[in-house]
Amino acid sequence: FRQPPASCDKLPVHGIAGTNQERTFLAVKPDGVQRGLVGDIIARFEKRGYKLVGLKLVWPTLEMAQNHYADLSKKPFYPGLCKFFSSGPIVCMCWEGKDIINQGRQMLGETQPLASKPGSIRGDFSIDLGRNICHGSDSPEAAAHELAMWFPEGVNDWAKTVDAWVYE
Ligand code: ADP
């Protein structure tokens, strides 16, 4: 059972957007790890039917945080955001499945927790903007970029045997 089955495709790390093999980068930020929310967050995606193909705990350096949020470097909150993001371990995840980039963002909620609906991760677990628990790629381009950054070693292609009960 140790070898991946021959039927496992070797996909690029970011999968194939628009198919059942679309992939996204999701992370539990330092506040979510400190608050013990990792298991709950993973469980939501597992129960929905999505497939976990990459998972690791990383304590980002300030430079890694700056690279991750480089597109926000002109914002006044950028220094504080990077300091916070590198203040403790994060849990890096790659999830795969139909529409996962968009659905992942929906399951996270709005950037502003107070505007997030109950039932979303941010709406259930957070209050302040700078402590909103989780990160999720917001486009196929961002997913490709962020997965290459956080999973340079690649992720795991594996066949999930219940997929026939998830997808018609
Ligand atoms: P998202 O995480 O929803 O993709 P952004 O990429 O716009 O949102 O911002 C990244 C993170 O920066 C947010 O999750 C939030 O923690 C923080 N942030 C965003 N806007 C602000 C702001 N105006 N003040 C402080 N922190 C902010």
Side-chain angles (χ1 to χ4, degrees), residues 29 69 71-72 75-78 81 84 105 108-112 122 128-138:
K29 299 204 261 192
Y69 284 120
D71 58 334
L72 299 174
K75 303 280 187 188
F77 58 84
Y78 177 71
L81 174 63
F84 166 72
R105 294 285 298 190
L108 261 53
E110 302 297 324
T111 302
Q112 172 58 262
R122 288 165 171 168
D128 268 357
L129 188 52
R131 300 288 185 273
N132 64 2
I133 304 292
C134 46
H135 167 83
S137 306
D138 63 4

mmCIF file of all heavy atoms in Angstrom, residues 29 69 71-72 75-78 81 84 105 108-112 122 128-138, ligand 1:
data_model
loop_
_atom_site.group_PDB
_atom_site.id
_atom_site.type_symbol
_atom_site.label_atom_id
_atom_site.label_comp_id
_atom_site.label_asym_id
_atom_site.label_seq_id
_atom_site.Cartn_x
_atom_site.Cartn_y
_atom_site.Cartn_z
ATOM 1 N N LYS A 29 -3.539 30.648 10.054
ATOM 2 C CA LYS A 29 -2.553 31.653 10.449
ATOM 3 C C LYS A 29 -2.178 31.453 11.938
ATOM 4 O O LYS A 29 -2.801 30.648 12.631
ATOM 5 C CB LYS A 29 -3.133 33.052 10.174
ATOM 6 C CG LYS A 29 -3.438 33.265 8.668
ATOM 7 C CD LYS A 29 -3.443 34.737 8.276
ATOM 8 C CE LYS A 29 -4.806 35.323 8.189
ATOM 9 N NZ LYS A 29 -4.840 36.668 7.547
ATOM 10 N N TYR A 69 2.859 38.117 1.281
ATOM 11 C CA TYR A 69 1.955 39.265 1.178
ATOM 12 C C TYR A 69 2.534 40.398 0.322
ATOM 13 O O TYR A 69 2.131 41.558 0.480
ATOM 14 C CB TYR A 69 1.604 39.781 2.577
ATOM 15 C CG TYR A 69 0.594 38.920 3.310
ATOM 16 C CD1 TYR A 69 0.910 38.322 4.527
ATOM 17 C CD2 TYR A 69 -0.690 38.711 2.784
ATOM 18 C CE1 TYR A 69 -0.033 37.539 5.201
ATOM 19 C CE2 TYR A 69 -1.617 37.924 3.442
ATOM 20 C CZ TYR A 69 -1.294 37.346 4.654
ATOM 21 O OH TYR A 69 -2.233 36.573 5.310
ATOM 22 N N ASP A 71 2.013 41.500 -2.568
ATOM 23 C CA ASP A 71 1.068 42.359 -3.307
ATOM 24 C C ASP A 71 0.418 43.408 -2.406
ATOM 25 O O ASP A 71 -0.241 44.323 -2.905
ATOM 26 C CB ASP A 71 0.004 41.519 -4.036
ATOM 27 C CG ASP A 71 -0.797 40.636 -3.098
ATOM 28 O OD1 ASP A 71 -0.270 40.271 -2.027
ATOM 29 O OD2 ASP A 71 -1.952 40.316 -3.427
ATOM 30 N N LEU A 72 0.599 43.305 -1.104
ATOM 31 C CA LEU A 72 0.046 44.301 -0.173
ATOM 32 C C LEU A 72 1.133 45.227 0.386
ATOM 33 O O LEU A 72 0.892 45.971 1.336
ATOM 34 C CB LEU A 72 -0.664 43.588 0.993
ATOM 35 C CG LEU A 72 -1.845 42.689 0.616
ATOM 36 C CD1 LEU A 72 -2.360 41.936 1.846
ATOM 37 C CD2 LEU A 72 -2.966 43.514 -0.009
ATOM 38 N N LYS A 75 0.495 48.834 1.378
ATOM 39 C CA LYS A 75 -0.559 49.120 2.362
ATOM 40 C C LYS A 75 0.054 49.502 3.709
ATOM 41 O O LYS A 75 1.082 48.940 4.106
ATOM 42 C CB LYS A 75 -1.461 47.894 2.559
ATOM 43 C CG LYS A 75 -2.112 47.385 1.294
ATOM 44 C CD LYS A 75 -3.321 48.205 0.941
ATOM 45 C CE LYS A 75 -4.060 47.589 -0.240
ATOM 46 N NZ LYS A 75 -5.121 48.439 -0.740
ATOM 47 N N PRO A 76 -0.603 50.400 4.416
ATOM 48 C CA PRO A 76 -0.050 50.817 5.724
ATOM 49 C C PRO A 76 0.024 49.688 6.746
ATOM 50 O O PRO A 76 0.867 49.717 7.634
ATOM 51 C CB PRO A 76 -1.025 51.918 6.177
ATOM 52 C CG PRO A 76 -2.239 51.785 5.332
ATOM 53 C CD PRO A 76 -1.814 51.155 4.048
ATOM 54 N N PHE A 77 -0.853 48.696 6.606
ATOM 55 C CA PHE A 77 -0.863 47.607 7.589
ATOM 56 C C PHE A 77 0.122 46.477 7.259
ATOM 57 O O PHE A 77 0.251 45.514 8.020
ATOM 58 C CB PHE A 77 -2.278 47.035 7.740
ATOM 59 C CG PHE A 77 -2.883 46.495 6.455
ATOM 60 C CD1 PHE A 77 -2.617 45.205 6.024
ATOM 61 C CD2 PHE A 77 -3.728 47.289 5.684
ATOM 62 C CE1 PHE A 77 -3.178 44.696 4.852
ATOM 63 C CE2 PHE A 77 -4.297 46.796 4.508
ATOM 64 C CZ PHE A 77 -4.016 45.494 4.089
ATOM 65 N N TYR A 78 0.851 46.619 6.118
ATOM 66 C CA TYR A 78 1.753 45.540 5.665
ATOM 67 C C TYR A 78 2.812 45.155 6.710
ATOM 68 O O TYR A 78 2.974 43.950 6.999
ATOM 69 C CB TYR A 78 2.397 45.960 4.340
ATOM 70 C CG TYR A 78 3.398 45.011 3.753
ATOM 71 C CD1 TYR A 78 3.013 43.793 3.198
ATOM 72 C CD2 TYR A 78 4.756 45.342 3.717
ATOM 73 C CE1 TYR A 78 3.946 42.934 2.638
ATOM 74 C CE2 TYR A 78 5.688 44.495 3.157
ATOM 75 C CZ TYR A 78 5.283 43.285 2.616
ATOM 76 O OH TYR A 78 6.215 42.441 2.066
ATOM 77 N N LEU A 81 1.156 43.241 9.495
ATOM 78 C CA LEU A 81 0.646 41.965 8.978
ATOM 79 C C LEU A 81 1.779 40.940 8.870
ATOM 80 O O LEU A 81 1.633 39.790 9.289
ATOM 81 C CB LEU A 81 -0.007 42.207 7.611
ATOM 82 C CG LEU A 81 -0.477 40.982 6.836
ATOM 83 C CD1 LEU A 81 -1.578 40.241 7.597
ATOM 84 C CD2 LEU A 81 -0.994 41.399 5.448
ATOM 85 N N PHE A 84 2.984 39.835 12.295
ATOM 86 C CA PHE A 84 2.011 38.889 12.861
ATOM 87 C C PHE A 84 2.115 37.512 12.193
ATOM 88 O O PHE A 84 2.146 36.475 12.864
ATOM 89 C CB PHE A 84 0.591 39.435 12.698
ATOM 90 C CG PHE A 84 -0.461 38.400 12.930
ATOM 91 C CD1 PHE A 84 -0.718 37.930 14.209
ATOM 92 C CD2 PHE A 84 -1.176 37.862 11.869
ATOM 93 C CE1 PHE A 84 -1.658 36.942 14.434
ATOM 94 C CE2 PHE A 84 -2.116 36.864 12.082
ATOM 95 C CZ PHE A 84 -2.358 36.411 13.365
ATOM 96 N N ARG A 105 -12.642 30.211 -0.479
ATOM 97 C CA ARG A 105 -12.863 31.600 -0.040
ATOM 98 C C ARG A 105 -14.238 31.745 0.624
ATOM 99 O O ARG A 105 -14.383 32.438 1.622
ATOM 100 C CB ARG A 105 -12.758 32.549 -1.243
ATOM 101 C CG ARG A 105 -11.376 32.637 -1.857
ATOM 102 C CD ARG A 105 -10.404 33.449 -1.053
ATOM 103 N NE ARG A 105 -10.787 34.831 -0.903
ATOM 104 C CZ ARG A 105 -9.993 35.772 -0.393
ATOM 105 N NH1 ARG A 105 -8.775 35.479 0.019
ATOM 106 N NH2 ARG A 105 -10.417 37.004 -0.254
ATOM 107 N N LEU A 108 -14.052 30.318 4.064
ATOM 108 C CA LEU A 108 -13.307 31.201 4.972
ATOM 109 C C LEU A 108 -14.172 32.351 5.461
ATOM 110 O O LEU A 108 -14.083 32.747 6.619
ATOM 111 C CB LEU A 108 -12.087 31.786 4.242
ATOM 112 C CG LEU A 108 -10.720 31.140 4.468
ATOM 113 C CD1 LEU A 108 -10.745 29.651 4.205
ATOM 114 C CD2 LEU A 108 -9.646 31.797 3.618
ATOM 115 N N GLY A 109 -14.977 32.934 4.586
ATOM 116 C CA GLY A 109 -15.761 34.120 4.924
ATOM 117 C C GLY A 109 -15.119 35.363 4.341
ATOM 118 O O GLY A 109 -14.209 35.285 3.526
ATOM 119 N N GLU A 110 -15.595 36.522 4.783
ATOM 120 C CA GLU A 110 -15.064 37.798 4.281
ATOM 121 C C GLU A 110 -13.740 38.121 4.975
ATOM 122 O O GLU A 110 -13.490 37.656 6.086
ATOM 123 C CB GLU A 110 -16.065 38.921 4.573
ATOM 124 C CG GLU A 110 -17.442 38.721 3.977
ATOM 125 C CD GLU A 110 -17.418 38.691 2.466
ATOM 126 O OE1 GLU A 110 -16.626 39.431 1.862
ATOM 127 O OE2 GLU A 110 -18.192 37.912 1.897
ATOM 128 N N THR A 111 -12.939 38.978 4.316
ATOM 129 C CA THR A 111 -11.686 39.417 4.945
ATOM 130 C C THR A 111 -11.978 40.017 6.323
ATOM 131 O O THR A 111 -11.260 39.764 7.292
ATOM 132 C CB THR A 111 -10.996 40.471 4.044
ATOM 133 O OG1 THR A 111 -10.771 39.880 2.762
ATOM 134 C CG2 THR A 111 -9.674 40.924 4.643
ATOM 135 N N GLN A 112 -13.046 40.809 6.392
ATOM 136 C CA GLN A 112 -13.465 41.440 7.643
ATOM 137 C C GLN A 112 -14.371 40.464 8.424
ATOM 138 O O GLN A 112 -15.491 40.180 7.981
ATOM 139 C CB GLN A 112 -14.232 42.728 7.300
ATOM 140 C CG GLN A 112 -14.893 43.421 8.459
ATOM 141 C CD GLN A 112 -13.946 43.816 9.569
ATOM 142 O OE1 GLN A 112 -13.815 43.113 10.565
ATOM 143 N NE2 GLN A 112 -13.266 44.946 9.374
ATOM 144 N N ARG A 122 -14.277 32.414 9.442
ATOM 145 C CA ARG A 122 -14.071 33.715 10.092
ATOM 146 C C ARG A 122 -15.310 34.168 10.855
ATOM 147 O O ARG A 122 -15.206 34.768 11.918
ATOM 148 C CB ARG A 122 -13.644 34.740 9.039
ATOM 149 C CG ARG A 122 -12.209 34.518 8.548
ATOM 150 C CD ARG A 122 -11.926 35.290 7.280
ATOM 151 N NE ARG A 122 -10.527 35.271 6.907
ATOM 152 C CZ ARG A 122 -10.066 35.682 5.723
ATOM 153 N NH1 ARG A 122 -10.917 36.132 4.799
ATOM 154 N NH2 ARG A 122 -8.776 35.644 5.450
ATOM 155 N N ASP A 128 -11.671 40.433 14.885
ATOM 156 C CA ASP A 128 -10.852 41.526 14.360
ATOM 157 C C ASP A 128 -10.152 41.153 13.051
ATOM 158 O O ASP A 128 -9.719 40.014 12.867
ATOM 159 C CB ASP A 128 -9.795 41.942 15.398
ATOM 160 C CG ASP A 128 -10.298 43.074 16.296
ATOM 161 O OD1 ASP A 128 -11.428 43.552 16.078
ATOM 162 O OD2 ASP A 128 -9.542 43.458 17.209
ATOM 163 N N LEU A 129 -10.018 42.169 12.186
ATOM 164 C CA LEU A 129 -9.418 42.010 10.853
ATOM 165 C C LEU A 129 -8.027 41.386 10.881
ATOM 166 O O LEU A 129 -7.702 40.506 10.081
ATOM 167 C CB LEU A 129 -9.355 43.420 10.233
ATOM 168 C CG LEU A 129 -8.970 43.636 8.795
ATOM 169 C CD1 LEU A 129 -9.803 42.767 7.873
ATOM 170 C CD2 LEU A 129 -9.155 45.115 8.461
ATOM 171 N N GLY A 130 -7.217 41.831 11.818
ATOM 172 C CA GLY A 130 -5.838 41.331 11.892
ATOM 173 C C GLY A 130 -5.705 40.015 12.636
ATOM 174 O O GLY A 130 -4.589 39.542 12.874
ATOM 175 N N ARG A 131 -6.821 39.415 13.013
ATOM 176 C CA ARG A 131 -6.831 38.103 13.698
ATOM 177 C C ARG A 131 -7.947 37.264 13.080
ATOM 178 O O ARG A 131 -8.793 36.731 13.791
ATOM 179 C CB ARG A 131 -7.084 38.288 15.209
ATOM 180 C CG ARG A 131 -6.054 39.142 15.936
ATOM 181 C CD ARG A 131 -4.707 38.423 16.104
ATOM 182 N NE ARG A 131 -3.788 39.238 16.902
ATOM 183 C CZ ARG A 131 -2.981 40.189 16.408
ATOM 184 N NH1 ARG A 131 -2.979 40.452 15.113
ATOM 185 N NH2 ARG A 131 -2.171 40.861 17.201
ATOM 186 N N ASN A 132 -7.887 37.153 11.745
ATOM 187 C CA ASN A 132 -9.000 36.476 11.061
ATOM 188 C C ASN A 132 -8.698 35.025 10.689
ATOM 189 O O ASN A 132 -9.285 34.458 9.777
ATOM 190 C CB ASN A 132 -9.492 37.311 9.872
ATOM 191 C CG ASN A 132 -8.445 37.483 8.789
ATOM 192 O OD1 ASN A 132 -7.341 36.937 8.903
ATOM 193 N ND2 ASN A 132 -8.771 38.219 7.745
ATOM 194 N N ILE A 133 -7.728 34.417 11.390
ATOM 195 C CA ILE A 133 -7.595 32.958 11.496
ATOM 196 C C ILE A 133 -7.001 32.208 10.305
ATOM 197 O O ILE A 133 -6.272 31.240 10.480
ATOM 198 C CB ILE A 133 -8.980 32.283 11.809
ATOM 199 C CG1 ILE A 133 -9.601 32.872 13.069
ATOM 200 C CG2 ILE A 133 -8.895 30.781 11.903
ATOM 201 C CD1 ILE A 133 -8.849 32.530 14.352
ATOM 202 N N CYS A 134 -7.375 32.624 9.091
ATOM 203 C CA CYS A 134 -7.056 31.759 7.957
ATOM 204 C C CYS A 134 -6.742 32.576 6.704
ATOM 205 O O CYS A 134 -7.094 33.752 6.591
ATOM 206 C CB CYS A 134 -8.216 30.808 7.678
ATOM 207 S SG CYS A 134 -9.815 31.642 7.680
ATOM 208 N N HIS A 135 -6.065 31.917 5.776
ATOM 209 C CA HIS A 135 -5.743 32.509 4.477
ATOM 210 C C HIS A 135 -6.192 31.553 3.385
ATOM 211 O O HIS A 135 -6.081 30.333 3.545
ATOM 212 C CB HIS A 135 -4.229 32.730 4.349
ATOM 213 C CG HIS A 135 -3.828 33.044 2.935
ATOM 214 N ND1 HIS A 135 -3.928 34.317 2.423
ATOM 215 C CD2 HIS A 135 -3.410 32.244 1.923
ATOM 216 C CE1 HIS A 135 -3.565 34.284 1.144
ATOM 217 N NE2 HIS A 135 -3.242 33.044 0.818
ATOM 218 N N GLY A 136 -6.643 32.102 2.265
ATOM 219 C CA GLY A 136 -6.968 31.270 1.111
ATOM 220 C C GLY A 136 -6.671 31.998 -0.179
ATOM 221 O O GLY A 136 -6.954 33.201 -0.307
ATOM 222 N N SER A 137 -6.096 31.308 -1.140
ATOM 223 C CA SER A 137 -5.804 31.904 -2.457
ATOM 224 C C SER A 137 -7.090 32.441 -3.066
ATOM 225 O O SER A 137 -8.141 31.813 -2.965
ATOM 226 C CB SER A 137 -5.211 30.861 -3.407
ATOM 227 O OG SER A 137 -4.093 30.225 -2.834
ATOM 228 N N ASP A 138 -6.982 33.606 -3.739
ATOM 229 C CA ASP A 138 -8.201 34.231 -4.270
ATOM 230 C C ASP A 138 -8.365 34.103 -5.785
ATOM 231 O O ASP A 138 -9.308 34.680 -6.341
ATOM 232 C CB ASP A 138 -8.296 35.697 -3.827
ATOM 233 C CG ASP A 138 -7.155 36.555 -4.354
ATOM 234 O OD1 ASP A 138 -6.317 36.039 -5.121
ATOM 235 O OD2 ASP A 138 -7.116 37.746 -4.000
HETATM 236 P P1 ADP B 1 -7.693 38.040 2.489
HETATM 237 O O1 ADP B 1 -6.872 37.443 3.606
HETATM 238 O O2 ADP B 1 -9.176 37.915 2.780
HETATM 239 O O3 ADP B 1 -7.315 37.535 1.124
HETATM 240 P P2 ADP B 1 -6.251 40.524 1.905
HETATM 241 O O4 ADP B 1 -5.366 39.738 0.989
HETATM 242 O O5 ADP B 1 -6.851 41.787 1.396
HETATM 243 O O6 ADP B 1 -7.435 39.641 2.492
HETATM 244 O O7 ADP B 1 -5.428 40.926 3.219
HETATM 245 C C1 ADP B 1 -4.563 40.001 3.823
HETATM 246 C C2 ADP B 1 -4.749 40.066 5.323
HETATM 247 O O8 ADP B 1 -4.328 41.352 5.776
HETATM 248 C C3 ADP B 1 -6.191 39.934 5.795
HETATM 249 O O9 ADP B 1 -6.598 38.592 5.941
HETATM 250 C C4 ADP B 1 -6.178 40.671 7.104
HETATM 251 O O10 ADP B 1 -5.717 39.823 8.163
HETATM 252 C C5 ADP B 1 -5.140 41.757 6.871
HETATM 253 N N1 ADP B 1 -5.774 43.030 6.495
HETATM 254 C C6 ADP B 1 -6.458 43.302 5.364
HETATM 255 N N2 ADP B 1 -6.892 44.558 5.336
HETATM 256 C C7 ADP B 1 -6.462 45.133 6.498
HETATM 257 C C8 ADP B 1 -6.583 46.444 7.082
HETATM 258 N N3 ADP B 1 -7.242 47.432 6.464
HETATM 259 N N4 ADP B 1 -6.013 46.638 8.299
HETATM 260 C C9 ADP B 1 -5.351 45.651 8.932
HETATM 261 N N5 ADP B 1 -5.191 44.401 8.431
HETATM 262 C C10 ADP B 1 -5.736 44.143 7.235
#
